[in-house]
């Protein structure tokens, strides 16, 4: 991906509600796409990844994401939010060209209200 | 499990000091990365190393240098720390044969006063 865009720097949901975090990418090559989660004062942890296999990818903690080529999107969802899901979420994609680097979105901070 | 460790979780340094941030990975990964993370800007790549003694500038290398003398260790050096280098610094590694997945350390929160 030459660019990765996360829509919404802050998202707030109620406990038990659907979580939807948006990510769009631009790429001229088949993408590898990732969602990472960062809990306060910690490093990034991989939630899930798309590597050109199944378009619906399941990750840890009940999260999943669907790769939609026609929409150049890779949105992250979870049917029912839990208080422990409060964290910052980053979408990332492979940079274009002959590179093994990733490009990251600017992050979405998820708040879960009781 | 891959483990990436960083030498300090929190660091406070004075303007003009030389600062070393150390990163060690235990999975024999060829590639290692240094990022800085700032609110609203996400992760920005400072430097990348694709093998021992090999390095490549990232998006924001100014004011930083790196050293990779051994495969498992990648150091970030601030030659003369400045207040605008106050940030969270994240180290990551990946296998050259992997699918671009990077493994991250816990981060070092550096404050320059």
């Amino acid at each position: 991906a030459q660019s990765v865009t996360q829509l919404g720097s802050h998202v707030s949901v109620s406990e038990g509600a659907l979580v939807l975090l948006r990510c769009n990418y631009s790429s001229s090559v088949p993408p590898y796409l990732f969602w990472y989660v960062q809990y306060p004062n910690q490093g990034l942890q991989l939630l899930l990844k798309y590597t050109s296999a199944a378009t619906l990818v399941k990750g840890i903690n009940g999260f999943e994401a669907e790769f939609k080529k026609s929409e150049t999107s890779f949105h992250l969802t979870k049917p029912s939010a839990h208080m422990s899901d409060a964290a910052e979420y980053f979408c990332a994609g492979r940079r274009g060209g002959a590179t093994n680097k990733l490009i990251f979105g600017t992050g979405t901070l998820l708040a879960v209200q009781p | 499990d891959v483990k990436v460790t960083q030498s300090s979780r929190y660091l406070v340094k004075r303007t003009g000091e030389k600062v070393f941030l150390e990163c060690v990975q235990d999975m024999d990964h060829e590639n290692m990365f240094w990022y800085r993370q700032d609110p609203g800007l996400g992760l920005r790549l400072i430097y990348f190393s694709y093998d021992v003694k090999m390095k490549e500038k990232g998006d924001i290398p100014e004011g930083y240098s790196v050293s990779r003398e051994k495969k498992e260790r990648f150091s970030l050096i601030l030659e003369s720390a400045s207040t605008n280098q106050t940030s969270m610094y994240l180290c990551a590694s990946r296998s050259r044969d992997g699918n671009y997945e990077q493994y991250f350390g816990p981060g070092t929160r550096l404050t320059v006063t």
Side-chain angles (χ1 to χ4, degrees), chain A residues 6 8 10-11 25-27 32 34 42 50 52 62 70 72 84 91 95-96 106 109-110 114:
Chain A
Q6 291 184 241
H10 291 79
V11 170
Y25 70 93
S26 68
S27 176
Y32 286 79
F34 304 84
Q42 294 187 26
Y50 169 76
S52 302
S70 61
T72 61
S84 60
C91 183
R95 295 195 186 202
T106 52
L109 189 62
L110 175 66

Side-chain angles (χ1 to χ4, degrees), chain B residues 23-111:
Chain B
C23 175
V24 177
Q25 51 94 3
D26 66 358
M27 281 302 291
D28 203 36
H29 285 169
E30 293 84 4
N31 300 160
M32 296 186 75
F33 307 81
W34 275 106
Y35 295 91
R36 66 176 281 175
Q37 181 184 6
D38 300 289
L41 298 178
L43 275 70
R44 294 179 291 167
L45 182 64
I46 305 171
Y47 263 99
F48 161 58
S49 170
Y50 47 95
D51 211 333
V52 176
K53 298 189 187 294
M54 309 302 282
K55 62 186 179 186
E56 189 176 301
K57 290 181 180 179
D59 302 314
I60 52 164
E62 297 79 17
Y64 303 94
S65 62
V66 290
S67 172
R68 189 149 179 224
E69 297 297 318
K70 293 185 177 182
K71 193 174 186 180
E72 68 271 17
R73 187 179 299 269
F74 191 34
S75 302
L76 180 69
I77 304 156
L78 287 66
E79 296 290 343
S80 177
S82 63
T83 55
N84 63 13
Q85 292 178 309
T86 291
S87 187
M88 170 72 105
Y89 290 87
L90 292 165
C91 175
S93 73
R94 70 171 279 266
S95 168
R96 185 166 51 208
D97 300 325
N99 54 13
Y100 300 91
E101 178 182 346
Q102 295 182 14
Y103 298 84
F104 284 83
T108 295
R109 188 166 293 281
L110 173 67
T111 302

